Structures are given as structure tokens and as C-alpha cells.
């Protein structure tokens, strides 16, 4: 029987990862850039999971450069690129670069003299299947606001006029969902077409710029969006990448509700927690009786957020809603979850603690805007 779930995005398929960074340098900045690259190259060489990298210069336009790197899999790269160490490592490059674009690809097939006859490579090829996409890119940002300002920030973020959804002929902002958990804000976006083009389009809209300025005094991390360096550092630290998106292949129920659940991991266990929840949601997509129709798992450091499209209310089936269904899964989550951070102590095998976890994990919906609303 074929699986009923369709995974369009995953950091957990076991494939090696190819990262491509396109750069457009300022004139005369090449030597400074090369010095900065050498420092970065030496540091990244010692990062677990890193295999190799290459620096290339265009033969047509000397201001255009390309950095490619290969990683054992996506998780170690995501851990590195979202770390404070990475923020500091790439800082010397910023003054050299006019524009950048980063792309990440799973390596599914490979041809070469040392690999064409390799049984290991052939076996790996058989294990890594191409994902069936839906033409939608998913990404999120998260940041914290000063305690006591939560209601004011929620009011500001819910009250602005939506920017125009159609960006260009091929790019469209499909949905923006915004939630809060205490003083933490999570903004998730879905984009048809080019994610970077859409994000830049949104950032330029007057109504968006106005609300971003209005919430600046309430942020715990200072920022100045008129300063490219300050804006770059803020959005780098705020990035909350999607590590999996899965949706059931069964017909969508008429009444789907979107919820966000916040799972703080024990220190250093965020990726493991995200992997467990991703596995649970793949199983839910294959279960015709599961209320969970679709899910996107976002993770950065020890912050894990699970966006779920669910039939009915979360508390109708707390175990399925939380991703705990299955033998031993509650015990696995206990080992990874910082239960004290959200007020849960003791075993998740008890109904009381499951309900308590659901109550604490359930994020406050602020706004959920679709292109047609």
C-alpha cells in the first residue's frame, strides 16, 4: 500500500546536502572578500558534518562569485548556519557583498568515476527518493518582546493592512500565520514561487515597514531596519527554518483549523526533538483516522515549533494533536523536551500531564491571513 502522506520538504531524508551561495561583490572588494573567506573556510572546516567547499568566480562578470559546500546531511548544516558562531564568522564578508542568495539542495543522484560502480552509492540512491512538491516554500521568523508588552505587540501585528499578495508573474504570497507563546513571536509564511523575492517585496511595503517600526521599542533584541548590517543580523538570528512539511493525500476536510505548538527542547536536543515530531507527522499523514491533516515543523537551536492543520479542536485528541501517538513516543518526547520550561513535570503517560502540555504548548493565534482574505 502506497503511503498517503506527501512530504514536500524534509531535512531528515538522510541525503547529503549541497549548499550554494551566490554573491555579488562591490567593485574593489575582492581582496578583502578573499581574506574574509579564508577565515571562514578555516573555521567551517572543523564543523561536524562539513565535507568540503569551493570558491568560484564568474568568467563573465568578475563581481559575481559562488561558494558551494557539501555536508553529510542537512541537520549539521542547519545547526551551523543558525548558530551565533556563524553570525560572527560571516560578519567580515558583509562590507564586501552587495547582494547574496543562498540555496540548499539534497543530493539525490551522483555520477563520477569513483561512484558509478560503487554499491554504496547505488544503495544510497535507492534510499533517497525525490519529494513531490506543491510549488510552495515555507519559512518562519521568531523573536522575543519585552515582558509586559505582549498584548500591545499582538495588537500591532494583528492590525496592519496586508501587503499585495501577487509579487510578480511567478511569485505570490499565499499565507501568513502569526502566533505568540508568552513573549515569543513566531511568524510563518507560505510563498508560491521565489521565497527570497517575496520576503524582499514584503519588507519594502509601507504598511509592513510601519508596523515593524511600531514594534521596535518592544523588542528584546535591538534592531535598526534602516541599517543593512543591523537588519541582516536580526533576520539571521530570527530565522526559524522549516525542517519538514507533510500533508496527507486524502481529500482535505471541509473544516481545517491551523494551530501552532511550541516545544522547547532540552539544551542541545532541538534537532532530535524536531526529527521525532517530523516522524510522528509522517505517520499521522498515513493514518486515515488522524485529525492531523498537514504539518510543518520549524526548528532553530532548542526552539521547535510545529504548525498543524487539524480537523476539529486540539483537545478532542490531545495525544494525536501533540504528536505523541504510538508506543513509547511519549517517553521519547520526555527525554527531549524541557518540560519545566512549559510547566510539565513527570510522565507524559498520564492524561493530566498530556493535557497540561497541550495547554502550555498551544500558541496564541494573532493573525492568519491568506491571499484571498
Amino acid at each position: 500500500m502506497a503511503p498517503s502522506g506527501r512530504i514536500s520538504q524534509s531535512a531528515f531524508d538522510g541525503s547529503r546536502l549541497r549548499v550554494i551561495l551566490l554573491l555579488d561583490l562591490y567593485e574593489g572588494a575582492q581582496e578583502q572578500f578573499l581574506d574574509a573567506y579564508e577565515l571562514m573556510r578555516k573555521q567551517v572546516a572543523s564543523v561536524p558534518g562539513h565535507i568540503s567547499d569551493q570558491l568560484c568566480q564568474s568568467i563573465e562578470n568578475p563581481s559575481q562569485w559562488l561558494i558551494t559546500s557539501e555536508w553529510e546531511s542537512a541537520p549539521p548544516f542547519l545547526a551551523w548556519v543558525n548558530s551565533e558562531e556563524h553570525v560572527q564568522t560571516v560578519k567580515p564578508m558583509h562590507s564586501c557583498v552587495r547582494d547574496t542568495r543562498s540555496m540548499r539542495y539534497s543530493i539525490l543522484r551522483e555520477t563520477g568515476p569513483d561512484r558509478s560502480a560503487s554499491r554504496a552509492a547505488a544503495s544510497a540512491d535507492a534510499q533517497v527518493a525525490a519529494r513531490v512538491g506543491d510549488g510552495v516554500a515555507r519559512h518562519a521568523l521568531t523573536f522575543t518582546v519585552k515582558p509586559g508588552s505582549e498584548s500591545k505587540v499582538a495588537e500591532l501585528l494583528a492590525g496592519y493592512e496586508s501587503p499585495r499578495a501577487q509579487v510578480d508573474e511567478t511569485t505570490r504570497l499565499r499565507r501568513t500565520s502569526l502566533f505568540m507563546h508568552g513573549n515569543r513571536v513566531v511568524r510563518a509564511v507560505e510563498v508560491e514561487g521565489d521565497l527570497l523575492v517575496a520576503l524582499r517585496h514584503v519588507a519594502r511595503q509601507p504598511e509592513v515597514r510601519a508596523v515593524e517600526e511600531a514594534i521596535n521599542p518592544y523588542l528584546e533584541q535591538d534592531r535598526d531596519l534602516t541599517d543593512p548590517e543591523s537588519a541582516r543580523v536580526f533576520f539571521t538570528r530570527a530565522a526559524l527554518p522549516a525542517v519538514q512539511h507533510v500533508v496527507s493525500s486524502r481529500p482535505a476536510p471541509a473544516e481545517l483549523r491551523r494551530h501552532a505548538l511550541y516545544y522547547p527542547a532540552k539544551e542541545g536536543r532541538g534537532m532530535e526533538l524536531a526529527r521525532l515530531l517530523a516522524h510522528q507527522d509522517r505517520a499521522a499523514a498515513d493514518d486515515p483516522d488522524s485529525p492531523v491533516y498537514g504539518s510543518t515543523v520549524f526548528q532553530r537551536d532548542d526552539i521547535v515549533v510545529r504548525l498543524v492543520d487539524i480537523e476539529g479542536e486540539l483537545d478532542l485528541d490531545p495525544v494525536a494533536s501533540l504528536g505523541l501517538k504510538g508506543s513509547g513516543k511519549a517517553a521519547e518526547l520526555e527525554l527531549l523536551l524541557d518540560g519545566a520550561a512549559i510547566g510539565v513535570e513527570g510522565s507524559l503517560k498520564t492524561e493530566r500531564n498530556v493535557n497540561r502540555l497541550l495547554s502550555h504548548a498551544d500558541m496564541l493565534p494573532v493573525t492568519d491571513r491568506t491571499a484571498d482574505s
Side-chain angles (χ1 to χ4, degrees):
M1 177 177 170
S4 60
R6 184 178 66 190
I7 300 173
S8 60
Q9 188 169 352
S10 177
F12 304 122
D13 61 6
S15 65
R16 284 176 292 130
L17 181 73
R18 175 75 65 190
V19 180
I20 299 171
L21 184 63
L22 300 172
L23 307 104
D24 184 19
L25 302 190
Y26 291 113
E27 288 74 11
Q30 283 83 352
E31 289 304 318
Q32 181 184 349
F33 169 74
L34 286 171
D35 290 341
Y37 171 77
E38 282 301 309
L39 290 174
M40 185 192 75
R41 181 182 66 81
K42 291 175 182 177
Q43 289 180 290
V44 76
S46 63
V47 175
H50 175 264
I51 297 174
S52 64
D53 57 72
Q54 290 182 321
L55 176 64
C56 311
Q57 184 179 24
S58 169
I59 62 173
E60 297 169 334
N61 183 343
S63 294
Q64 294 178 350
W65 293 69
L66 168 70
I67 299 175
T68 66
S69 61
E70 186 175 327
W71 297 75
E72 292 175 0
S73 61
F77 166 76
L78 292 173
W80 155 248
V81 79
N82 292 323
S83 68
E84 186 62 27
E85 181 184 2
H86 176 263
V87 171
Q88 299 304 322
T89 298
V90 300
K91 263 189 176 182
M93 285 190 174
H94 292 166
S95 60
C96 313
V97 177
R98 180 184 291 110
D99 194 21
T100 63
R101 181 180 183 85
S102 177
M103 295 171 283
R104 298 95 184 257
Y105 292 87
S106 295
I107 300 175
L108 302 188
R109 302 291 185 270
E110 192 164 6
T111 302
D114 297 328
R115 299 183 181 273
S116 57
S118 166
R119 291 185 180 180
S123 174
D125 283 351
Q127 292 173 7
V128 182
R131 293 179 294 277
V132 179
D134 55 3
V136 177
R138 294 170 174 85
H139 188 64
L141 296 173
T142 185
F143 52 88
T144 56
V145 297
K146 296 172 183 176
S149 69
E150 294 90 346
S151 59
K152 180 61 178 179
V153 170
E155 178 186 347
L156 290 169
L157 292 173
Y160 72 96
E161 184 179 348
S162 298
R164 181 170 52 89
Q166 196 68 38
V167 178
D168 57 30
E169 292 182 358
T170 60
T171 301
R172 183 170 179 259
L173 187 64
R174 191 170 84 164
R175 190 169 185 173
T176 300
S177 305
L178 199 143
F179 296 84
M180 293 184 70
H181 186 280
N183 70 330
R184 178 168 296 280
V185 177
V186 172
R187 177 191 288 152
V189 296
E190 297 179 1
V191 172
E192 296 175 6
D194 193 311
L195 175 64
L196 183 60
V197 168
L199 294 179
R200 288 178 173 176
H201 161 79
V202 169
R204 289 193 296 265
Q205 303 311 302
E207 57 271 30
V208 174
R209 294 176 70 91
V211 75
E212 295 288 358
E213 284 294 324
I215 68 171
N216 275 346
Y218 306 109
L219 298 180
E220 286 198 314
Q221 178 191 342
D222 291 335
R223 68 178 185 185
D224 178 3
L225 295 184
T226 64
D227 174 18
E229 176 66 12
S230 177
R232 184 185 291 110
V233 170
F234 176 84
F235 287 115
T236 298
R237 288 177 172 151
L240 187 66
V243 292
Q244 178 182 274
H245 175 74
V246 62
V247 64
S248 176
S249 293
R250 65 184 187 267
E255 295 295 329
L256 278 179
R257 294 195 61 184
R258 173 157 290 188
H259 298 267
L261 296 167
Y262 173 66
Y263 301 77
K266 291 180 179 177
E267 186 176 357
R269 310 296 293 275
M271 187 63 74
E272 293 176 76
L273 177 54
R275 189 190 301 270
L276 172 62
L277 294 172
H279 176 272
Q280 291 296 95
D281 286 331
R282 291 196 297 270
D286 290 340
D287 181 358
D289 297 321
S290 174
V292 177
Y293 177 76
S295 157
T296 309
V297 178
F298 300 91
Q299 182 263 333
R300 177 195 181 92
D301 299 328
D302 298 327
I303 299 167
V304 182
V305 172
R306 182 167 159 263
L307 204 64
V308 290
D309 291 322
I310 199 165
E311 189 176 7
E313 296 297 329
L314 292 172
D315 57 7
L316 293 177
D317 190 344
V319 171
S321 297
L322 284 165
L324 296 177
K325 192 172 182 180
S327 177
K329 297 305 177 184
E332 288 184 47
L333 186 63
E334 282 177 38
L335 295 175
L336 302 173
L337 185 69
D338 184 359
I342 53 176
V344 175
E345 298 179 2
S347 173
L348 288 176
K349 295 178 182 178
T350 68
E351 181 179 352
R352 177 186 177 187
N353 273 342
V354 168
N355 288 329
R356 183 176 292 176
L357 173 59
L358 182 63
S359 175
H360 282 275
D362 190 15
M363 300 184 72
L364 173 71
V366 176
T367 182
D368 187 22
R369 305 175 184 220
T370 61
D372 300 323
S373 63

